[in-house]
Amino acid sequence: MSALVILFVLTIGALLQAVIPAVLSLGQAKVPALAAVVVYYALVRDRRTLLSVAIVAGIVQDGMGLIPFGYSSVAFVVLGLMIARFKELVFVHEVLTHMLFGLLMAAGATGVLFVLLTSTDLVEMSFSQAFHKMIGSALLGAIATPFIFQGCARLDRLMGLVESTDSTWQEVP
């Protein structure tokens, strides 16, 4: 059941990312819906599930953006593992936490992709253009992640995959 929920969430995230147009004034940044899904799984689920989601989300994002397969996966895995390290130290239920990690994930993934793509001469982009896009992605990530996080959490609770108390979420065995 968990795999079907993950597949559904990734499909919805991919659809949102594909359908919502890029914002020109934010460096042509797109809403980082797949990155927000990775943030959810980094904060709520175990490491193995996080790695699976990060790899698949990265491959889907690369396929939609005509990026060599695996580049976004590298960014999502590294950043997801960094976020997971802090999940015991933050308030997982708080919107501010979702906004902060959404901001960091979106900006970080954009930065990692810039480095990977420019180092292999696959894209010509100045640092100022990349920085502008990182800021735009960060802003969109901070706005979108709380909504996507709440949707994922609601779906997991409805399907009986996590139990929530006032202070923690625990995966149902």
Side-chain angles (χ1 to χ4, degrees):
M1 181 64 83
S2 180
L4 289 175
V5 171
I6 291 170
L7 181 62
F8 178 75
V9 167
L10 287 172
T11 302
I12 296 300
L15 285 172
L16 286 172
Q17 198 161 311
V19 171
I20 299 172
V23 182
L24 184 61
S25 62
L26 296 177
Q28 294 184 338
K30 293 193 65 84
V31 173
L34 290 169
V37 170
V38 174
V39 169
Y40 171 77
Y41 282 96
L43 289 173
V44 175
R45 303 296 280 285
D46 63 11
R47 189 178 304 261
R48 193 175 94 211
T49 304
L50 162 64
L51 291 174
S52 300
V53 168
I55 290 168
V56 173
I59 290 170
V60 169
Q61 179 167 300
D62 291 343
M64 291 187 325
L66 301 175
I67 298 170
F69 286 114
Y71 280 32
S72 294
S73 294
V74 169
F76 287 166
V77 165
V78 170
L79 295 166
L81 288 172
M82 290 172 61
I83 289 170
R85 279 190 67 116
F86 293 101
K87 74 178 171 182
E88 301 298 326
L89 303 173
V90 298
F91 297 107
V92 174
H93 297 293
E94 297 298 322
V95 172
L96 188 58
T97 302
H98 308 161
M99 291 176 74
L100 175 65
F101 284 126
L103 179 145
L104 294 173
M105 174 65 87
T110 303
V112 169
L113 283 174
F114 168 71
V115 169
L116 290 173
L117 290 171
T118 56
S119 68
T120 55
D121 294 327
L122 293 174
V123 71
E124 294 281 330
M125 181 183 278
S126 69
F127 179 76
S128 63
Q129 290 172 316
F131 187 72
H132 187 217
K133 189 168 190 166
M134 283 175 65
I135 297 296
S137 294
L139 179 63
L140 292 173
I143 293 168
T145 301
F147 294 106
I148 293 170
F149 193 101
Q150 292 303 318
C152 292
R154 183 168 173 85
L155 184 61
D156 269 356
R157 284 193 308 272
L158 286 173
M159 298 305 289
L161 298 175
V162 294
E163 293 176 345
S164 64
T165 63
D166 289 337
S167 60
T168 62
W169 288 0
Q170 295 193 337
E171 201 167 343
V172 175

